[in-house]
């Protein structure tokens, strides 16, 4: 049975929370895809505490049970 990580996504722009559950071996890129689908927008980055989450890293190495992961606008998107 796959070990799961349960965490909350907090979208500051909308002031909304989404509870999520992913396998420890899933990629942060999978979380990105779920955010795009659930919130319907692009141009964001995921942050856990002071760390920006790398889409190539595993969920288990970047997020712990109970963490709150921030969905924040990508600052590079403002300069395009």
């Amino acid at each position: 049975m796959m070990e799961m990580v349960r965490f909350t996504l907090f979208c500051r722009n909308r002031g909304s929370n989404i509870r999520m559950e992913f396998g420890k071996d899933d990629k942060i890129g999978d979380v990105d895809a779920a955010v795009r689908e659930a919130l319907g927008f692009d141009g964001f980055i995921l942050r856990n505490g002071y760390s920006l989450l790398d889409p190539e890293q595993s969920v288990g190495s970047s997020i712990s049970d109970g963490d709150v992961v921030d969905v924040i606008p990508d600052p590079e998107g403002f300069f395009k």
Side-chain angles (χ1 to χ4, degrees):
M1 187 168 154
M2 180 187 291
E3 273 191 79
M4 303 300 283
V5 178
R6 293 168 186 86
F7 58 95
T8 301
L9 280 174
F10 178 59
C11 181
R12 292 193 183 279
N13 288 354
R14 296 188 179 178
S16 61
N17 293 319
I18 302 171
R19 296 284 297 151
M20 304 218 90
E21 181 177 292
F22 279 85
K24 286 190 173 197
D25 294 331
D26 290 336
K27 298 286 184 194
I28 295 297
D30 297 330
V31 178
D32 281 353
V35 170
R36 289 180 210 295
E37 184 177 321
L39 299 177
F41 63 86
D42 290 325
F44 64 88
I45 52 178
L46 299 176
R47 181 181 72 188
N48 190 6
Y50 292 107
S51 300
L52 298 179
L53 301 183
D54 179 352
E56 296 302 315
Q57 294 293 315
S58 70
V59 169
S61 68
S62 304
I63 303 171
S64 299
D65 267 343
D67 282 355
V68 176
V69 175
D70 291 310
V71 179
I72 57 176
D74 183 354
E76 289 183 8
F78 291 119
F79 300 108
K80 290 183 180 181

